[in-house]
């Protein structure tokens, strides 16, 4: 029996909210929403995989496993770019490097802690879909789509940091 606490309730609520975009008004739950390839290349690849002949749970799982791995890789690349942006440049302006070091001292640890919390959330997000009582469609399609959405949302957050964190 599962014990509910505030974190469990928050995890389920967040997972449900993140899963909403994937459940468009279409009656077919397996089609990924159309997104411009330059915005989310792994979503476009997922759509091609699902539309290209995935007809059973193993094939759906393979499509989502690949898409999630690609999204995780894109997120890691963006995350590393963010941390690099917060590091002083040996060839940079000394005054800018001083301000950057001061900013990084104040905020880098907070960003790293935020990423650690997100990683813990990702590990628990969408877990409800793997409950045996829900059926194989949830484990093969709905759950992986939920995780994919969670990773995509984190990419959006990191991209927002990259776009807006400019030390002057």
């Amino acid at each position: 029996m599962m014990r509910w606490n505030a974190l469990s309730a928050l995890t389920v609520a967040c997972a449900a909210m993140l899963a909403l975009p994937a459940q468009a008004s279409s009656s077919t739950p397996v089609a990924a929403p159309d997104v411009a390839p330059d915005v989310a290349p792994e979503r476009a690849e997922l759509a091609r995989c699902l539309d290209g002949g995935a007809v059973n749970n193993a094939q759906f799982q393979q499509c989502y496993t690949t898409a999630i791995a690609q999204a995780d890789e894109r997120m890691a690349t963006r995350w590393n770019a963010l941390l690099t942006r917060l590091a002083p440049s040996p060839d940079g302006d000394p005054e800018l490097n001083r301000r950057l070091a001061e900013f990084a001292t104040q905020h880098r640890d907070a960003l790293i802690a935020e990423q650690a919390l997100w990683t813990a959330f990702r590990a628990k997000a969408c877990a409800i879909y793997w409950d045996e009582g829900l059926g194989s469609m949830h484990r093969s399609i709905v759950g992986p789509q939920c995780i994919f959405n969670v990773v995509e949302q984190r990419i959006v957050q990191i991209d927002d940091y990259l776009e807006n964190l400019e030390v002057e």
Side-chain angles (χ1 to χ4, degrees):
M1 175 161 204
M2 181 179 201
R3 288 187 49 170
W4 285 90
N5 59 30
L7 181 59
S8 298
L10 178 63
T11 300
V12 170
C14 288
M17 287 188 311
L18 289 170
L20 287 176
Q23 298 171 355
S25 60
S26 170
S27 61
T28 307
V30 296
D34 291 331
V35 175
D38 60 323
V39 175
E42 56 279 339
R43 183 168 288 276
E45 182 60 33
L46 175 61
R48 280 191 291 280
C49 184
L50 293 174
D51 296 340
V55 295
N56 61 42
N57 288 343
Q59 291 167 336
F60 291 135
Q61 287 174 335
Q62 184 56 52
C63 290
Y64 280 106
T65 297
T66 300
I68 291 167
Q70 291 169 342
D72 281 339
E73 184 177 322
R74 186 162 64 108
M75 184 192 62
T77 299
R78 299 292 212 293
W79 176 253
N80 290 331
L82 177 60
L83 293 181
T84 299
R85 179 168 293 173
L86 295 177
S89 170
D91 301 329
D93 173 52
E95 178 57 24
L96 178 59
N97 277 342
R98 184 194 64 74
R99 290 192 309 270
L100 191 56
E102 183 179 303
F103 180 86
T105 298
Q106 294 174 14
H107 302 289
R108 184 180 170 103
D109 288 345
L111 285 170
I112 291 170
E114 177 185 310
Q115 185 69 2
L117 288 169
W118 179 85
T119 300
F121 168 75
R122 183 195 187 281
K124 295 195 181 278
C126 313
I128 194 168
Y129 294 123
W130 275 266
D131 185 277
E132 290 292 323
L134 291 177
S136 63
M137 183 181 87
H138 288 82
R139 290 183 300 280
S140 301
I141 300 169
V142 180
Q145 179 65 49
C146 179
I147 291 173
F148 184 75
N149 290 341
V150 167
V151 176
E152 276 194 328
Q153 289 299 317
R154 184 60 180 162
I155 292 168
V156 168
Q157 290 173 326
I158 293 170
D159 282 350
D160 184 65
Y161 286 145
L162 284 165
E163 184 177 325
N164 294 303
L165 286 180
E166 198 71 39
V167 176
E168 299 175 2

